[in-house]
């Protein structure tokens, strides 16, 4: 089975712009979760989607949003980028749903200048 | 409040030796789960092992075992016969119930370097 894929792998944006990241889960997995990873804060949970519905949400501002399509692919959008949004964004898919055993993608490294 | 603590920012081990990575947790819930993940420099987080709070036996997966001491609230990862490819960041995580939702919190990780 193909693993979790994330595109793009690297992204450079400037403050105020918006960005959309994409994640394709393992075939058959209906749960997709998103995380932000920074050296100072570690791994922070953003949200989980299951069968196109947001089922779980972390403590991030409304600038962070997501959606899931009928084929389980998920997108995450960050509007009005800030310098502090520079991070590695990881996507994970799960067969049983968050927070059970998750399979992660390679991440998207976002740099905000 | 729920909390995960990994007290070792960095560890070194000689190839072929065993190493223990510490993880302590704090929760008042009876039902919770403990995970260990590995993150190589490539960035991808890799699931290693899981222990449920009601599991009486320590979980094992190949060279990985989880030393679960419930009374001490510790869930240490033991890697036997270390290999160069084990050099990575290791994260401990805990799942728990929060109302109708389930949550997952992560430790800050331990960087493991395996020396040849």
């Amino acid at each position: 089975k193909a693993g979790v894929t994330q595109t793009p792998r690297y992204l450079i944006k400037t403050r105020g712009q918006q960005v959309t990241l994409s994640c394709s889960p393992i075939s058959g997995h209906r749960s997709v979760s998103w995380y932000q990873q920074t050296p100072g804060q570690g791994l922070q949970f953003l949200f989980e989607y299951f069968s196109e519905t947001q089922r779980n949400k972390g403590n991030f501002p409304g600038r962070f949003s997501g959606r899931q399509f009928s084929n389980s692919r998920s997108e995450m959008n960050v509007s009005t980028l800030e310098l502090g949004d520079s991070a590695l964004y990881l996507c994970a898919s799960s067969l049983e749903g968050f927070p059970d055993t998750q399979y992660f993608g390679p991440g998207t490294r976002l740099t905000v200048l | 409040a729920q909390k995960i603590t990994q007290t070792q920012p960095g560890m070194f081990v000689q190839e072929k030796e065993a190493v223990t990575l510490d993880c302590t947790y704090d929760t008042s819930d009876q039902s919770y789960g403990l995970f260990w993940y590995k993150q190589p420099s490539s960035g991808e987080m890799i699931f290693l092992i899981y222990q449920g709070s009601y599991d009486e036996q320590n979980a094992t997966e190949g060279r990985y075992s989880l030393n679960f001491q419930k009374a001490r609230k510790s869930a240490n990862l033991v890697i036997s016969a270390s290999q160069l490819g084990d050099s990575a960041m290791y994260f401990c995580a805990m799942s728990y119930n929060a109302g109708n939702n389930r949550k997952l919190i992560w430790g800050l990780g331990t960087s493991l370097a395996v020396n040849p």
Side-chain angles (χ1 to χ4, degrees), chain A residues 56-101:
Chain A
N56 245 308
K57 191 174 185 305
N59 298 322
F60 276 80
R63 300 185 298 107
F64 293 82
S65 63
R67 60 177 175 169
Q68 187 179 33
F69 302 94
S70 58
N71 61 358
S72 293
R73 189 177 70 85
S74 177
E75 287 182 348
M76 189 191 87
N77 185 275
V78 187
S79 62
T80 319
L81 284 166
E82 301 176 359
L83 295 179
D85 297 333
S86 294
L88 179 67
Y89 290 88
L90 292 165
C91 161
S93 77
S94 168
L95 183 62
E96 301 295 330
F98 177 88
D100 293 315
T101 302

Side-chain angles (χ1 to χ4, degrees), chain A residues 23 27 51 81 109:
Chain A
C23 171
S27 178
S51 294
L81 284 166
R109 173 77 61 186

Side-chain angles (χ1 to χ4, degrees), chain A residues 37 43 56 98-99 102 104, chain B residues 35 37 39 45 102 104 106:
Chain A
Q37 186 177 28
L43 211 63
N56 245 308
F98 177 88
Q102 298 175 83
F104 285 78
Chain B
F35 301 81
Y37 284 85
Q39 187 177 39
M45 200 77 83
R102 294 192 65 196
L104 184 69
W106 297 77

Side-chain angles (χ1 to χ4, degrees), chain A:
Chain A
K1 265 187 184 179
V4 177
T5 57
Q6 290 186 246
T7 56
R9 292 293 312 277
Y10 301 92
L11 208 48
I12 299 175
K13 292 284 188 179
T14 55
R15 278 182 299 174
Q17 287 187 309
Q18 76 164 16
V19 66
T20 299
L21 312 181
S22 181
C23 171
S24 293
I26 291 173
S27 178
H29 287 193
R30 291 189 293 165
S31 168
V32 174
S33 300
W34 288 89
Y35 293 87
Q36 181 195 66
Q37 186 177 28
T38 58
Q41 297 294 319
L43 211 63
Q44 304 283 319
F45 171 70
L46 281 152
F47 30 66
E48 181 216 7
Y49 285 86
F50 188 94
S51 294
E52 301 179 65
T53 301
Q54 187 182 86
R55 197 164 66 165
N56 245 308
K57 191 174 185 305
N59 298 322
F60 276 80
R63 300 185 298 107
F64 293 82
S65 63
R67 60 177 175 169
Q68 187 179 33
F69 302 94
S70 58
N71 61 358
S72 293
R73 189 177 70 85
S74 177
E75 287 182 348
M76 189 191 87
N77 185 275
V78 187
S79 62
T80 319
L81 284 166
E82 301 176 359
L83 295 179
D85 297 333
S86 294
L88 179 67
Y89 290 88
L90 292 165
C91 161
S93 77
S94 168
L95 183 62
E96 301 295 330
F98 177 88
D100 293 315
T101 302
Q102 298 175 83
Y103 298 87
F104 285 78
T108 295
R109 173 77 61 186
L110 172 65
T111 302
V112 182
L113 303 175

